[in-house]
Amino acid sequence: MTQKSLLSLALLVSPLTSVAAIQISDNFSISGFGSTSITKSDNSTPLFVHREITDETCYDCDTTFGLQADLSIIEDVNASVQVVKRPQDHWSDVELEWAYLNYEVNQFSFRGGRLRIPLFLISEYYYIGQAYPWARPPQEVYDSILGFTSYEGISASWLWDVNDEAVVRITPYYGFGNDNKVKFSGARFNFKTDYQAGLSAELSGFNYRVHFGYLNSKYLMSPSSSSEKETLNIYTLGGEYSMDDWLFMSEVQTDDLQTNWYVSAAYSIDKFTPYLVYGESHHRRKSNSVTAGIRYDLTHKISLNAEWQGIYMDREDYNAGNEGQFVTAPIHYNEDKDVQVYTVMINFIF
């Protein structure tokens, strides 16, 4: 494999925070990341699951802060722990996002513990705003599973060199039963899963990446009018491609209830990166959105985003009580069906 391919692969499969890690000893390091924003919309209906942006200026709707510790125990065995204050969390109630042991042998690696669900292109660094161009990931896709990002179980990965410039990583995983709580549509719901089983497959080259994800789960939601367990099958397909100063990204997510997708283009001009995103949600949450923003890299560890987003809904869907990207249907608030969102955000890693 060429040196460029090795560098590309390392950037794709390693935690971004390792670039800025504080080396405590030869085998132990600590790193961190965070984001915070000033944001508001022109609609009083709370917007986005877990963020609930309204027409009142909000200083903590996007606030995220994480710490990660990595320990090399013996050769080929390491441990990693990541604790995150997510946008929906209070500072006194942070979440253990992952905590696992990893064992590597030849082209295989095995993990056990609390792990990140590898469904999307940026699942591994979803909370690290410094790792992607936008102020927040496109919500059509990344809100589609109501913010669930981790599971408790095991995974195995196989790394295969297709040629000197392409690598395939295949990762089957299995999660044991778990309880997940989420606030949605003005109420709190509990999702009790029997299991979570899935597969992640990724093809990576020097300037491109293609990712396929699948998740199967059986769950019981409460409160609910039904006591029957539901089976959920989620499929995702995404890709990113860089060409000179351009970065193109697109993903589609589909399951039994919905189909969502987005396309994105960003162009780097020195320290500035203007970007555009278009997204759509169908079936369960019907809407489309246009996002325009610019990112400014103060340093390679600190960046600023200024972003506008317009989210739109058909009148027929609005009258039928569809929620779109809102937490609850805007017709219940006697509010407009469309919304404009304005955001200034700062991201950092250390």
Side-chain angles (χ1 to χ4, degrees):
M1 182 177 286
T2 64
Q3 289 183 340
K4 287 185 176 180
S5 296
L6 285 171
L7 175 60
S8 175
L9 178 63
L11 291 174
L12 289 173
V13 303
S14 300
L16 179 87
T17 48
S18 64
V19 177
I22 302 169
Q23 203 69 36
I24 305 300
S25 66
D26 290 341
N27 62 342
F28 181 63
S29 64
I30 295 176
S31 53
F33 54 89
S35 301
T36 192
S37 74
I38 301 173
T39 187
K40 70 174 297 183
S41 74
D42 62 355
N43 195 308
S44 65
T45 312
L47 181 71
F48 300 145
V49 177
H50 299 316
R51 300 177 192 267
E52 300 192 6
I53 299 166
T54 66
D55 56 358
E56 296 184 6
T57 302
C58 183
Y59 298 93
D60 63 354
C61 290
D62 294 295
T63 301
T64 303
F65 183 77
L67 288 174
Q68 181 173 317
D70 295 284
L71 173 67
S72 177
I73 301 172
I74 58 175
E75 186 177 2
D76 299 327
V77 178
N78 59 76
S80 183
V81 176
Q82 187 183 96
V83 178
V84 181
K85 185 273 173 201
R86 305 168 301 174
Q88 68 265 38
D89 296 328
H90 297 291
W91 285 99
S92 60
D93 187 27
V94 298
E95 182 75 9
L96 182 65
E97 264 298 296
W98 73 45
Y100 62 80
L101 285 174
N102 181 75
Y103 171 63
E104 297 183 6
V105 54
N106 298 324
Q107 293 179 298
F108 297 89
S109 63
F110 304 90
R111 290 182 176 181
R114 172 165 285 193
L115 305 168
R116 186 67 55 81
I117 301 174
L119 264 180
F120 305 109
L121 274 175
I122 65 170
S123 287
E124 190 76 7
Y125 45 92
Y126 171 71
Y127 290 113
I128 306 176
Q130 184 72 359
Y132 40 79
W134 327 290
R136 58 184 72 86
Q139 298 297 285
E140 287 86 357
V141 169
Y142 284 87
D143 257 0
S144 59
I145 57 173
L146 301 183
F148 299 143
T149 56
S150 62
Y151 70 97
E152 294 174 2
I154 55 176
S155 72
S157 291
W158 174 51
L159 196 65
W160 172 45
D161 296 338
V162 179
N163 53 44
D164 287 345
E165 296 184 355
V167 175
V168 169
R169 179 183 291 269
I170 299 176
T171 306
Y173 59 94
Y174 184 87
F176 307 110
N178 198 6
D179 286 349
N180 293 288
K181 296 178 176 62
V182 62
K183 184 179 179 182
F184 187 64
S185 298
R188 293 188 177 275
F189 295 91
N190 184 67
F191 292 84
K192 186 174 183 179
T193 59
D194 287 351
Y195 64 87
Q196 295 169 301
L199 177 73
S200 169
E202 190 162 282
L203 172 67
S204 303
F206 179 68
N207 65 337
Y208 68 89
R209 186 160 59 111
V210 179
H211 179 272
F212 167 78
Y214 169 69
L215 173 66
N216 170 265
S217 180
K218 181 171 287 188
Y219 69 92
L220 179 65
M221 182 181 74
S222 60
S224 173
S225 58
S226 173
S227 59
E228 296 289 330
K229 292 183 178 180
E230 301 286 343
T231 298
L232 179 65
N233 290 287
I234 302 175
Y235 302 87
T236 65
L237 180 64
E240 63 179 18
Y241 176 73
S242 61
M243 181 180 63
D244 298 326
D245 295 318
W246 286 95
L247 175 64
F248 302 96
M249 297 179 68
S250 182
E251 288 184 88
V252 60
Q253 177 273 337
T254 186
D255 57 47
D256 302 329
L257 301 175
Q258 60 191 333
T259 296
N260 311 295
W261 60 272
Y262 75 87
V263 292
S264 170
Y267 184 77
S268 295
I269 310 170
D270 295 325
K271 293 185 176 182
F272 292 91
T273 304
Y275 56 88
L276 289 171
V277 187
Y278 178 78
E280 289 188 3
S281 291
H282 297 272
H283 309 308
R284 184 175 68 87
R285 300 169 69 183
K286 299 179 181 180
S287 68
N288 62 83
S289 71
V290 178
T291 304
I294 187 167
R295 166 172 162 152
Y296 176 68
D297 288 286
L298 293 167
T299 72
H300 69 282
K301 298 181 181 181
I302 305 172
S303 65
L304 294 171
N305 283 74
E307 184 178 284
W308 163 86
Q309 184 175 21
I311 305 173
Y312 310 100
M313 187 187 306
D314 290 341
R315 175 63 62 181
E316 181 180 349
D317 297 324
Y318 170 81
N319 291 337
N322 197 271
E323 295 151 353
Q325 300 306 313
F326 294 102
V327 174
T328 190
I331 195 172
H332 297 158
Y333 280 70
N334 293 317
E335 266 285 10
D336 190 68
K337 62 185 180 65
D338 303 327
V339 58
Q340 316 288 316
V341 191
Y342 306 91
T343 303
V344 176
M345 182 174 291
I346 183 170
N347 305 294
F348 59 88
I349 58 174
F350 62 88

mmCIF file of all heavy atoms in Angstrom, residues 154-175:
data_model
loop_
_atom_site.group_PDB
_atom_site.id
_atom_site.type_symbol
_atom_site.label_atom_id
_atom_site.label_comp_id
_atom_site.label_asym_id
_atom_site.label_seq_id
_atom_site.Cartn_x
_atom_site.Cartn_y
_atom_site.Cartn_z
ATOM 1 N N ILE A 154 -20.631 -6.487 21.093
ATOM 2 C CA ILE A 154 -19.347 -6.899 20.521
ATOM 3 C C ILE A 154 -19.337 -6.596 19.027
ATOM 4 O O ILE A 154 -20.379 -6.482 18.380
ATOM 5 C CB ILE A 154 -19.084 -8.407 20.742
ATOM 6 C CG1 ILE A 154 -20.253 -9.235 20.189
ATOM 7 C CG2 ILE A 154 -18.867 -8.713 22.228
ATOM 8 C CD1 ILE A 154 -20.049 -10.740 20.280
ATOM 9 N N SER A 155 -18.126 -6.480 18.485
ATOM 10 C CA SER A 155 -17.972 -6.301 17.045
ATOM 11 C C SER A 155 -16.651 -6.929 16.616
ATOM 12 O O SER A 155 -15.736 -7.119 17.417
ATOM 13 C CB SER A 155 -17.992 -4.819 16.650
ATOM 14 O OG SER A 155 -16.804 -4.166 17.048
ATOM 15 N N ALA A 156 -16.566 -7.245 15.323
ATOM 16 C CA ALA A 156 -15.343 -7.774 14.730
ATOM 17 C C ALA A 156 -15.139 -7.079 13.396
ATOM 18 O O ALA A 156 -16.095 -6.881 12.639
ATOM 19 C CB ALA A 156 -15.432 -9.284 14.544
ATOM 20 N N SER A 157 -13.906 -6.695 13.092
ATOM 21 C CA SER A 157 -13.611 -6.017 11.834
ATOM 22 C C SER A 157 -12.535 -6.769 11.060
ATOM 23 O O SER A 157 -11.565 -7.276 11.648
ATOM 24 C CB SER A 157 -13.127 -4.580 12.091
ATOM 25 O OG SER A 157 -14.170 -3.773 12.585
ATOM 26 N N TRP A 158 -12.728 -6.813 9.761
ATOM 27 C CA TRP A 158 -11.746 -7.419 8.860
ATOM 28 C C TRP A 158 -11.313 -6.363 7.857
ATOM 29 O O TRP A 158 -12.134 -5.745 7.188
ATOM 30 C CB TRP A 158 -12.358 -8.615 8.130
ATOM 31 C CG TRP A 158 -11.470 -9.208 7.076
ATOM 32 C CD1 TRP A 158 -10.168 -9.583 7.213
ATOM 33 C CD2 TRP A 158 -11.828 -9.476 5.712
ATOM 34 N NE1 TRP A 158 -9.679 -10.081 6.021
ATOM 35 C CE2 TRP A 158 -10.686 -10.033 5.082
ATOM 36 C CE3 TRP A 158 -12.999 -9.327 4.964
ATOM 37 C CZ2 TRP A 158 -10.672 -10.416 3.741
ATOM 38 C CZ3 TRP A 158 -13.002 -9.712 3.630
ATOM 39 C CH2 TRP A 158 -11.850 -10.243 3.038
ATOM 40 N N LEU A 159 -10.009 -6.136 7.774
ATOM 41 C CA LEU A 159 -9.435 -5.143 6.881
ATOM 42 C C LEU A 159 -8.775 -5.854 5.707
ATOM 43 O O LEU A 159 -7.906 -6.708 5.896
ATOM 44 C CB LEU A 159 -8.404 -4.299 7.637
ATOM 45 C CG LEU A 159 -7.976 -2.982 7.005
ATOM 46 C CD1 LEU A 159 -9.150 -2.018 6.931
ATOM 47 C CD2 LEU A 159 -6.838 -2.373 7.821
ATOM 48 N N TRP A 160 -9.190 -5.498 4.489
ATOM 49 C CA TRP A 160 -8.691 -6.185 3.292
ATOM 50 C C TRP A 160 -8.155 -5.153 2.308
ATOM 51 O O TRP A 160 -8.849 -4.222 1.924
ATOM 52 C CB TRP A 160 -9.834 -6.978 2.639
ATOM 53 C CG TRP A 160 -9.494 -7.569 1.305
ATOM 54 C CD1 TRP A 160 -8.364 -8.236 0.954
ATOM 55 C CD2 TRP A 160 -10.315 -7.516 0.127
ATOM 56 N NE1 TRP A 160 -8.426 -8.635 -0.365
ATOM 57 C CE2 TRP A 160 -9.618 -8.206 -0.897
ATOM 58 C CE3 TRP A 160 -11.581 -6.995 -0.154
ATOM 59 C CZ2 TRP A 160 -10.127 -8.353 -2.187
ATOM 60 C CZ3 TRP A 160 -12.097 -7.150 -1.433
ATOM 61 C CH2 TRP A 160 -11.371 -7.817 -2.426
ATOM 62 N N ASP A 161 -6.886 -5.320 1.917
ATOM 63 C CA ASP A 161 -6.281 -4.454 0.912
ATOM 64 C C ASP A 161 -6.725 -4.899 -0.478
ATOM 65 O O ASP A 161 -6.260 -5.923 -0.994
ATOM 66 C CB ASP A 161 -4.754 -4.511 0.996
ATOM 67 C CG ASP A 161 -4.225 -3.976 2.310
ATOM 68 O OD1 ASP A 161 -4.945 -3.209 2.950
ATOM 69 O OD2 ASP A 161 -3.097 -4.341 2.684
ATOM 70 N N VAL A 162 -7.607 -4.118 -1.096
ATOM 71 C CA VAL A 162 -8.079 -4.450 -2.435
ATOM 72 C C VAL A 162 -6.941 -4.295 -3.442
ATOM 73 O O VAL A 162 -6.710 -5.150 -4.300
ATOM 74 C CB VAL A 162 -9.265 -3.555 -2.828
ATOM 75 C CG1 VAL A 162 -9.745 -3.876 -4.243
ATOM 76 C CG2 VAL A 162 -10.396 -3.717 -1.832
ATOM 77 N N ASN A 163 -6.208 -3.191 -3.350
ATOM 78 C CA ASN A 163 -5.025 -2.929 -4.155
ATOM 79 C C ASN A 163 -4.182 -1.905 -3.415
ATOM 80 O O ASN A 163 -4.398 -1.672 -2.220
ATOM 81 C CB ASN A 163 -5.405 -2.456 -5.571
ATOM 82 C CG ASN A 163 -6.359 -1.263 -5.544
ATOM 83 O OD1 ASN A 163 -6.179 -0.320 -4.774
ATOM 84 N ND2 ASN A 163 -7.395 -1.315 -6.382
ATOM 85 N N ASP A 164 -3.227 -1.282 -4.105
ATOM 86 C CA ASP A 164 -2.331 -0.342 -3.442
ATOM 87 C C ASP A 164 -3.019 0.933 -2.980
ATOM 88 O O ASP A 164 -2.453 1.685 -2.187
ATOM 89 C CB ASP A 164 -1.179 0.036 -4.384
ATOM 90 C CG ASP A 164 -0.170 -1.095 -4.553
ATOM 91 O OD1 ASP A 164 -0.217 -2.031 -3.718
ATOM 92 O OD2 ASP A 164 0.625 -1.054 -5.503
ATOM 93 N N GLU A 165 -4.227 1.197 -3.468
ATOM 94 C CA GLU A 165 -4.871 2.459 -3.145
ATOM 95 C C GLU A 165 -6.296 2.308 -2.617
ATOM 96 O O GLU A 165 -7.023 3.293 -2.502
ATOM 97 C CB GLU A 165 -4.888 3.361 -4.384
ATOM 98 C CG GLU A 165 -3.495 3.755 -4.845
ATOM 99 C CD GLU A 165 -3.543 4.732 -6.011
ATOM 100 O OE1 GLU A 165 -4.666 4.998 -6.489
ATOM 101 O OE2 GLU A 165 -2.485 5.203 -6.432
ATOM 102 N N ALA A 166 -6.723 1.115 -2.295
ATOM 103 C CA ALA A 166 -8.094 0.912 -1.805
ATOM 104 C C ALA A 166 -8.116 -0.150 -0.720
ATOM 105 O O ALA A 166 -7.408 -1.159 -0.801
ATOM 106 C CB ALA A 166 -9.020 0.508 -2.949
ATOM 107 N N VAL A 167 -8.929 0.100 0.296
ATOM 108 C CA VAL A 167 -9.048 -0.787 1.446
ATOM 109 C C VAL A 167 -10.525 -1.003 1.751
ATOM 110 O O VAL A 167 -11.332 -0.062 1.678
ATOM 111 C CB VAL A 167 -8.348 -0.185 2.684
ATOM 112 C CG1 VAL A 167 -8.573 -1.065 3.910
ATOM 113 C CG2 VAL A 167 -6.860 -0.018 2.436
ATOM 114 N N VAL A 168 -10.880 -2.217 2.079
ATOM 115 C CA VAL A 168 -12.240 -2.540 2.503
ATOM 116 C C VAL A 168 -12.219 -2.944 3.974
ATOM 117 O O VAL A 168 -11.351 -3.714 4.397
ATOM 118 C CB VAL A 168 -12.839 -3.694 1.657
ATOM 119 C CG1 VAL A 168 -14.146 -4.191 2.278
ATOM 120 C CG2 VAL A 168 -13.085 -3.234 0.234
ATOM 121 N N ARG A 169 -13.135 -2.383 4.737
ATOM 122 C CA ARG A 169 -13.316 -2.773 6.134
ATOM 123 C C ARG A 169 -14.740 -3.292 6.313
ATOM 124 O O ARG A 169 -15.701 -2.580 6.012
ATOM 125 C CB ARG A 169 -13.053 -1.617 7.083
ATOM 126 C CG ARG A 169 -13.268 -1.975 8.565
ATOM 127 C CD ARG A 169 -13.067 -0.785 9.475
ATOM 128 N NE ARG A 169 -11.693 -0.377 9.512
ATOM 129 C CZ ARG A 169 -10.795 -0.832 10.383
ATOM 130 N NH1 ARG A 169 -11.150 -1.745 11.277
ATOM 131 N NH2 ARG A 169 -9.560 -0.391 10.358
ATOM 132 N N ILE A 170 -14.888 -4.523 6.784
ATOM 133 C CA ILE A 170 -16.189 -5.135 7.024
ATOM 134 C C ILE A 170 -16.337 -5.403 8.515
ATOM 135 O O ILE A 170 -15.469 -6.044 9.124
ATOM 136 C CB ILE A 170 -16.352 -6.430 6.215
ATOM 137 C CG1 ILE A 170 -16.260 -6.124 4.720
ATOM 138 C CG2 ILE A 170 -17.683 -7.108 6.540
ATOM 139 C CD1 ILE A 170 -16.300 -7.343 3.839
ATOM 140 N N THR A 171 -17.435 -4.921 9.094
ATOM 141 C CA THR A 171 -17.622 -5.013 10.547
ATOM 142 C C THR A 171 -19.022 -5.510 10.882
ATOM 143 O O THR A 171 -19.990 -4.737 10.844
ATOM 144 C CB THR A 171 -17.397 -3.646 11.211
ATOM 145 O OG1 THR A 171 -16.128 -3.122 10.855
ATOM 146 C CG2 THR A 171 -17.505 -3.760 12.734
ATOM 147 N N PRO A 172 -19.191 -6.780 11.215
ATOM 148 C CA PRO A 172 -20.451 -7.236 11.808
ATOM 149 C C PRO A 172 -20.458 -6.903 13.300
ATOM 150 O O PRO A 172 -19.404 -6.878 13.946
ATOM 151 C CB PRO A 172 -20.427 -8.745 11.562
ATOM 152 C CG PRO A 172 -18.973 -9.083 11.501
ATOM 153 C CD PRO A 172 -18.261 -7.883 10.946
ATOM 154 N N TYR A 173 -21.634 -6.651 13.866
ATOM 155 C CA TYR A 173 -21.706 -6.308 15.286
ATOM 156 C C TYR A 173 -23.023 -6.811 15.869
ATOM 157 O O TYR A 173 -24.004 -7.039 15.154
ATOM 158 C CB TYR A 173 -21.549 -4.806 15.505
ATOM 159 C CG TYR A 173 -22.576 -3.949 14.808
ATOM 160 C CD1 TYR A 173 -23.739 -3.522 15.459
ATOM 161 C CD2 TYR A 173 -22.383 -3.537 13.485
ATOM 162 C CE1 TYR A 173 -24.669 -2.728 14.828
ATOM 163 C CE2 TYR A 173 -23.321 -2.742 12.840
ATOM 164 C CZ TYR A 173 -24.455 -2.333 13.513
ATOM 165 O OH TYR A 173 -25.384 -1.547 12.878
ATOM 166 N N TYR A 174 -23.017 -6.970 17.193
ATOM 167 C CA TYR A 174 -24.206 -7.449 17.895
ATOM 168 C C TYR A 174 -24.307 -6.728 19.230
ATOM 169 O O TYR A 174 -23.342 -6.688 20.017
ATOM 170 C CB TYR A 174 -24.138 -8.956 18.128
ATOM 171 C CG TYR A 174 -25.389 -9.517 18.778
ATOM 172 C CD1 TYR A 174 -26.477 -9.916 17.998
ATOM 173 C CD2 TYR A 174 -25.495 -9.626 20.162
ATOM 174 C CE1 TYR A 174 -27.636 -10.408 18.579
ATOM 175 C CE2 TYR A 174 -26.642 -10.126 20.761
ATOM 176 C CZ TYR A 174 -27.711 -10.509 19.965
ATOM 177 O OH TYR A 174 -28.851 -10.993 20.555
ATOM 178 N N GLY A 175 -25.481 -6.169 19.489
ATOM 179 C CA GLY A 175 -25.728 -5.493 20.746
ATOM 180 C C GLY A 175 -26.766 -6.227 21.571
ATOM 181 O O GLY A 175 -27.771 -6.721 21.040
#
